[in-house]
Amino acid sequence: MTEIHTTAAPHHTERVIAGTTVVELRGEIDLLTAQPLSARLDALTGGPRPDLVLDLRSLSFIDCAGLSALCRARSRTAARKGRLRLVTGDTGFLRLLHHTRLDDVFEVHARLSDALARTPGSGDASAAVG
């Protein structure tokens, strides 16, 4: 029996709010869709001091390939002395960050308005999500 795997391509919208690029991701980020997303995030994090918010509240699924794309974007942003924030309240995703020991790596907020605040958080996901 042949299984055909179809996955929803991650759709995204981009907008700039007070100098910060906000990318709202929707759908699934998996092995098949992470590469195009990573390429777009590379473009967004290529300049000096990128200021980026990834709104993950409309994601339905993310696997290790998707998590890798987020880690790459975070590394590129940090290397260019920028700021990357994630917006999510999804307990499954927060648990994934915890189990992969990335909960202290990403700056995570439950609300977009908090992520857009000018003062950087401590970077501690447990402090930012509350």
Side-chain angles (χ1 to χ4, degrees), residues 7 9 11 15 25 32 36 49 65 67 79 109 116 123 128-130:
T7 184
H11 300 284
R15 58 191 166 141
L25 299 171
L32 298 174
R49 298 192 183 274
L67 193 56
H109 299 273
L116 290 171
V129 175

Side-chain angles (χ1 to χ4, degrees), residues 12 19 27 51 57 64-65 78 86 104 106 108:
H12 74 275
D51 189 14
R57 293 175 295 173
C64 60
L86 305 179
D104 288 332
F106 286 100
V108 181

Side-chain angles (χ1 to χ4, degrees), residues 27-76:
E28 300 179 0
I29 303 175
D30 60 14
L31 186 61
L32 298 174
T33 59
Q35 193 283 326
L37 172 63
S38 190
R40 183 62 194 138
L41 294 177
D42 280 358
L44 292 171
T45 58
R49 298 192 183 274
D51 189 14
L52 188 63
V53 171
L54 302 179
D55 186 345
L56 310 177
R57 293 175 295 173
S58 296
L59 273 187
S60 58
F61 177 81
I62 187 167
D63 69 3
C64 60
L67 193 56
S68 178
L70 299 183
C71 287
R72 177 176 170 85
R74 190 230 171 252
S75 294
R76 288 174 54 86

Side-chain angles (χ1 to χ4, degrees), residues 43-128:
L44 292 171
T45 58
R49 298 192 183 274
D51 189 14
L52 188 63
V53 171
L54 302 179
D55 186 345
L56 310 177
R57 293 175 295 173
S58 296
L59 273 187
S60 58
F61 177 81
I62 187 167
D63 69 3
C64 60
L67 193 56
S68 178
L70 299 183
C71 287
R72 177 176 170 85
R74 190 230 171 252
S75 294
R76 288 174 54 86
T77 302
R80 289 162 179 84
K81 301 187 184 339
R83 187 174 174 208
L84 173 73
R85 284 89 77 206
L86 305 179
V87 178
T88 185
D90 182 86
T91 56
F93 181 76
L94 295 173
R95 192 170 35 251
L96 176 65
L97 289 181
H98 175 73
H99 289 303
T100 55
R101 299 179 187 241
L102 293 171
D103 49 349
D104 288 332
V105 172
F106 286 100
E107 183 181 338
V108 181
H109 299 273
R111 292 180 300 273
L112 181 60
S113 59
D114 293 341
L116 290 171
R118 282 280 144 222
T119 305
S122 66
D124 182 350
S126 61

